[in-house]
Amino acid sequence: MAFKIDGVDKRIGLALSGGGFRAAAFHLGVLRQLQALSLLDKLDLVSCVSGGSIAGGTLAANWGDPACLDKLETYLRTRSIAVASVVGGLLDPFESRLDKLANSYDRDLFHDRTLSTLQGGPRIYFNATNLATGNMFFFVAGGGKDAEMGEHELGVVPAAGFPISRAVAASSAFPPVFPPLLLPASIYPPAAATVEYVTLTDGGVYDNMGVNPLLRMARNPIDYLIVSDGGKPFAFEERPTESGAVVLKASLDIMMEQIRGLQFDRLQHRHLAGKGARPLWFSIDSIEGEQQQGDASFASAISTHLKKLNDDEMRVLVRHGGALLASRIGRYAPELATVAP
């Protein structure tokens, strides 16, 4: 939703990274800080991945509800779904682990709502990864526009009746814990032209920060781009592994860290070239801006599983996310701190 600074319309985009419940709670701190600055209801565009889709989906589904952020916090404090979903999916011949995950989201957060019901909130992207093409696959709704799903290569189709819970589940189906979401041609017709169906896995496989939709300035014009990165930072290993299986995991972590760094450079260079919004980014391991010494270290050490958070974890994650956003706004975009309610 556009707002004015010195008489000029401005728009804010927000990217919410993956990282399980830890990232969702970190993003909750960011959302609470935006609310304190009277900026939350002015968000024009939100792009989410995995744990970020839990936070973003809850925000969009409860847009305008004063208790919206409290609902998200209660959910993160009281629900654990990963273990139950895995075990239940293994034992139940009629539902996959992905179905169990989607059903848990629907029961606790979305209550049979579809993408069309997000019309009144900001434009929101739930990002997944298409294993058939290797591209980002998105479910997008809100912003007073039609709900759609698809990708740039196979195409985009209407998705008004698609359940929010399944879009969030596709975005957060991190392998190998959860299988991918299968979309047959009956649901996603473009698949029939090249493949029999598409399968969607965690959006973090393609872009764990969810910034790609925010770079499409022709489609999604914004002036400020806030990137909340609650994902797993690469950890220094004093005794690096020699195990083949662990080497594979470490290799994937290294590649993810490289992609993360390149995305930040991409944001900065596009802005300097006049082709992108002003970026304000921060990562969970950042000590620059932490409110209390040790917050970055404590927050980064919390597991990224879909497991309920205890009081200490929630308190530090929310405090740290809000403090880092306040620090970046104060340093790089102080005009945002003076926007009228």
Side-chain angles (χ1 to χ4, degrees):
M1 290 62 177
F3 59 96
K4 292 187 182 296
I5 294 179
D6 296 331
V8 179
D9 282 348
K10 300 291 183 181
R11 298 178 183 274
I12 298 177
L14 174 65
L16 301 176
S17 79
F21 277 15
R22 182 186 77 179
F26 181 73
H27 301 326
L28 173 62
V30 171
L31 298 175
R32 288 202 183 279
Q33 183 62 30
L34 287 170
Q35 186 178 56
L37 293 171
S38 299
L39 294 173
L40 184 63
D41 62 351
K42 296 176 178 61
L43 288 175
D44 196 73
L45 181 66
V46 181
S47 180
C48 317
V49 175
S50 198
S53 290
I54 297 171
T58 304
L59 174 69
N62 296 278
W63 189 255
D65 182 349
C68 171
L69 301 185
D70 293 335
K71 290 180 179 179
L72 175 59
E73 180 164 345
T74 297
Y75 175 75
L76 297 174
R77 286 180 180 273
T78 60
R79 294 290 184 266
S80 295
I81 60 178
V83 174
S85 295
V86 172
V87 174
L90 290 173
L91 299 178
D92 189 338
F94 301 105
E95 288 187 300
S96 73
R97 286 165 288 160
L98 193 282
D99 291 328
K100 294 285 187 180
L101 179 64
N103 290 342
S104 72
Y105 288 149
D106 199 58
R107 179 191 67 234
D108 297 326
L109 293 173
F110 303 119
H111 314 297
D112 295 325
R113 294 181 60 183
T114 63
L115 293 176
S116 65
T117 66
L118 305 181
Q119 187 83 349
R123 194 70 169 160
I124 183 166
Y125 284 77
F126 301 104
N127 300 306
T129 302
N130 187 349
L131 294 174
T133 63
N135 295 325
M136 182 189 78
F137 190 103
F138 58 81
F139 301 89
V140 59
K145 301 177 182 178
D146 292 337
E148 299 174 325
M149 63 179 175
E151 50 137 289
H152 78 275
E153 191 169 353
L154 294 182
V156 176
V157 299
F162 199 85
I164 302 171
S165 59
R166 294 190 72 77
V168 174
S171 180
S172 58
F174 55 90
V177 178
F178 296 103
L181 173 70
L182 188 150
L183 291 184
S186 60
I187 295 177
Y188 181 61
T194 53
V195 294
E196 293 183 17
Y197 53 83
V198 298
T199 52
L200 309 179
T201 193
D202 193 298
V205 174
Y206 184 90
D207 168 21
N208 197 48
M209 293 191 299
V211 301
N212 278 276
L214 298 166
L215 299 177
R216 300 174 180 175
M217 296 297 289
R219 182 181 178 116
N220 300 313
I222 53 174
D223 301 283
Y224 299 92
L225 197 172
I226 299 170
V227 182
S228 177
D229 177 18
K232 180 182 179 182
F234 186 77
F236 178 79
E237 294 289 348
E238 294 183 1
R239 300 182 64 185
T241 183
E242 297 180 25
S243 165
V246 181
V247 165
L248 176 60
K249 180 182 181 302
S251 298
L252 293 173
D253 288 343
I254 291 170
M255 287 189 287
M256 291 295 290
E257 182 68 12
Q258 289 294 312
I259 294 171
R260 180 169 168 255
L262 289 170
Q263 287 285 47
F264 284 142
D265 284 344
R266 184 183 182 194
L267 296 176
Q268 184 68 7
H269 289 311
R270 287 178 67 89
H271 174 61
L272 293 175
K275 297 180 180 179
R278 183 187 304 183
L280 304 170
W281 70 75
F282 43 89
S283 297
I284 196 169
D285 60 340
S286 175
I287 61 174
E288 180 185 343
E290 66 176 355
Q291 185 172 318
Q292 293 187 22
Q293 186 175 4
D295 278 357
S297 177
F298 183 89
S300 300
I302 297 170
S303 167
T304 58
H305 297 156
L306 300 178
K307 180 181 178 181
K308 66 181 179 181
L309 300 165
N310 63 40
D311 289 345
D312 289 339
E313 291 170 334
M314 180 64 72
R315 180 172 57 253
V316 173
L317 286 167
V318 171
R319 181 174 68 212
H320 192 45
L324 293 187
L325 173 60
S327 171
R328 300 311 186 269
I329 287 178
R331 182 171 181 179
Y332 300 108
E335 66 276 14
L336 291 179
T338 61
V339 173

